[in-house]
Amino acid sequence: MTIALNDTVRRLLDSPHPAVLSTIDPDGSPQSSVVWVTRDGDDVLISTERGRRKERNVARDGRVGLTVFDLANPYLYAEIRGTVTVTEDTGRTVAVRIAEEYLGPGAGKEYGDAGDGAVRVVLRLTPTKVLGNATKA
């Protein structure tokens, strides 16, 4: 069952705060990565390269946790649990969008350059549970 995010959680995700994505390694142990995020409605989008550990983990087991907190007030946070689907980031549009949200207009140019041959993918996190004090605000 998917759930809707409240306005406080949406504001956290819409601001350029780093988030921590936790996935499940093949041996069952946790794996965490600091990531940049954006939203598409109540889904959270993350851009990464195909073949990275987080992408391989969610392709095998889509269950994840994502924690984001306000850099100015670290006590304001949300943990979003849910499942991830993986799709190719055609034209690297999501990678560019996220880079510009975090670094400013025009900063996504290097993320849009496919000269390195790497395939970018989008991890789409659909929330099933949201915890943390941002859920109470």
Side-chain angles (χ1 to χ4, degrees):
M1 177 179 107
T2 62
I3 61 165
L5 304 175
N6 72 24
D7 289 340
T8 304
V9 174
R10 286 187 185 116
R11 280 192 300 274
L12 271 174
L13 293 167
D14 291 345
S15 299
H17 300 301
V20 178
L21 176 70
S22 297
T23 65
I24 303 168
D25 268 340
D27 67 359
S29 62
Q31 183 273 332
S32 297
S33 301
V34 176
V35 295
W36 292 349
V37 300
T38 193
R39 276 189 318 111
D40 180 17
D42 287 327
D43 285 352
V44 180
L45 306 180
I46 301 158
S47 176
T48 191
E49 288 182 10
R50 178 165 285 142
R52 290 206 172 151
R53 171 57 68 192
K54 61 184 156 284
E55 186 267 340
R56 294 192 324 261
N57 282 351
V58 298
R60 188 191 70 263
D61 185 336
R63 296 174 298 163
V64 301
L66 180 93
T67 301
V68 61
F69 63 91
D70 186 325
L71 291 170
N73 177 10
Y75 297 106
L76 181 61
Y77 74 96
E79 177 192 355
I80 302 168
R81 297 178 189 173
T83 56
V84 165
T85 56
V86 181
T87 57
E88 187 169 332
D89 188 1
T90 307
R92 295 180 167 216
T93 56
V94 173
V96 169
R97 174 181 160 189
I98 292 173
E100 291 187 352
E101 288 175 6
Y102 277 77
L103 301 173
K109 183 179 178 337
E110 80 175 78
Y111 290 90
D113 179 16
D116 61 4
V119 175
R120 301 284 311 180
V121 295
V122 177
L123 309 182
R124 177 179 290 270
L125 166 55
T126 301
T128 55
K129 186 170 194 160
V130 181
L131 307 162
N133 63 6
T135 64
K136 297 166 182 61

